[in-house]
Structures are given as C-alpha cells and as structure tokens.
Amino acid sequence: MAKIVFALNQSLDGFVNHDHTAFQPDPVLFRHFIDDLRGMAGSLYGRRMYETMRCWDGDHFEWDAPEREYAAAWQSKPKWVVSRTLKSVGPNASLIEGDLAAAIRGLKAQHEGEIEVAGPELAHSLTELGLVDEYRLYLHPVVLGHGKPFFAGPRPPLRLVASDRIGEQVIRLTYVPA
C-alpha cells in the first residue's frame, strides 16, 4: 500500500511559493529532489501546482544536465491531477474527478511506495480526509511575508519523526499525524 506524503518548500514564516523563485535549490538539494522523485510511485497535484510543474514536460535547450535529469524523472512517473476545471492533462497524467477520498484510497491500494502530494490546498483536503501519512517541510532561510501557507487550514496534530540538513541551507522536517 502506498503512503501519501505532502512535501513542499517553505519559508521561515510558513509560506510556500508556487513559482519556486524564492527557493532556488543548491546543487545538493537539487540532487536530493532528483533522487527523491526517482524513488516515488508518482505525484498527486492540484491544478495550479500541476500547471507550474508542466514545464518539466518539455525539453529546453538551456537546461543543464541536472535539470534534464529531473525532467526525465518527472516525465517517467505517473501523475494524478485533481481538478474541477481541467478537461485534459498531459503525458503520463490522469485526471481525478468525483469522490476524492475514494480515488485516493484507490491509488494507495493500487500502488507501493510513496505518492507525493504537491500543493497546500490539495494537501489540506487530504488532511481533512485523514489521507496524508507524512508531512515533509523543506525549510529555507527566506522570509516571504506573503503567499500561501504550508498548511492551508487548521494545523493537524503532528509528531516530529526526523530532521535532516540537506545542502548548505535547508532543513527537512518530517512529521506524521499524532
């Protein structure tokens, strides 16, 4: 059975940035993200985050080797997109419509490993349904002062299970529901 993991970059003041401009990873953190993605069973997106991540569907001449490697890993993994407005999604992606809880329970039952959730609003919906198994906060030394909070609704009771320094400036905090 798969585990649902909500993982996202976060500022010191608790915000995420959908365009990722505030969280440019150093080479060590980017390598971590490549390796992490390769080990995933797939990714679960809301519409906005999926549209942001679609840039990895292409092949851009200006990309360096690690960016090409990340793109290849992203393209190879299944993606599930939760949206009420999208009518179609790109390659290796499926649209989830209807009963969200049943769809996610089905994904968990059909897959092994980790399915990563990206996007605070979708993660909030899954948290309310009791479907998020783990939270990974990649804490960056920046203060945004605005944006979407990592937790889009009330904070669930959590228990810290790990903390890791990744690269020069990022701490990953791993929590499970208490």
Side-chain angles (χ1 to χ4, degrees):
M1 175 171 279
K3 176 167 70 169
I4 301 294
V5 176
F6 174 38
L8 208 54
N9 294 307
Q10 177 185 302
S11 66
L12 291 175
D13 54 346
F15 295 106
V16 300
N17 184 2
H18 281 299
D19 66 8
H20 304 288
T21 56
F23 304 121
Q24 293 299 316
D26 66 21
V28 174
L29 181 59
F30 197 60
R31 168 59 47 203
H32 166 82
F33 288 146
I34 293 168
D35 295 341
D36 194 48
L37 181 57
R38 281 188 177 140
M40 291 282 164
S43 299
L44 184 59
Y45 296 103
R47 180 192 53 83
R48 280 185 293 266
M49 186 61 79
Y50 176 69
E51 288 174 342
T52 298
M53 295 299 291
R54 286 289 310 269
C55 68
W56 297 107
D57 268 339
D59 183 18
H60 300 268
F61 73 91
E62 71 276 8
W63 282 349
D64 61 19
E67 289 169 319
R68 290 182 189 287
E69 202 175 344
Y70 185 90
W74 193 81
Q75 292 167 15
S76 74
K77 295 297 177 178
K79 292 160 275 298
W80 299 278
V81 183
V82 177
S83 176
R84 290 183 211 99
T85 58
L86 290 177
K87 300 301 177 210
S88 65
V89 290
N92 209 13
S94 303
L95 197 54
I96 293 180
E97 301 172 294
D99 185 345
L100 179 61
I104 302 309
R105 284 187 188 101
L107 285 177
K108 287 179 77 164
Q110 294 166 12
H111 296 277
E112 292 293 325
E114 296 179 350
I115 297 173
E116 188 173 85
V117 177
E121 290 158 3
L122 176 57
H124 172 66
S125 296
L126 297 178
T127 295
E128 285 187 323
L129 294 168
L131 295 172
V132 177
D133 300 298
E134 189 171 287
Y135 299 83
R136 294 182 191 152
L137 291 74
Y138 289 85
L139 194 58
H140 290 254
V142 297
V143 175
L144 294 177
H146 68 282
K148 294 211 179 267
F150 184 91
F151 290 101
R155 284 139 187 90
L158 300 174
R159 181 173 52 86
L160 179 68
V161 294
S163 62
D164 308 289
R165 182 176 177 166
I166 303 173
E168 289 296 316
Q169 300 197 25
V170 173
I171 300 290
R172 177 182 61 187
L173 302 171
T174 304
Y175 293 89
V176 295

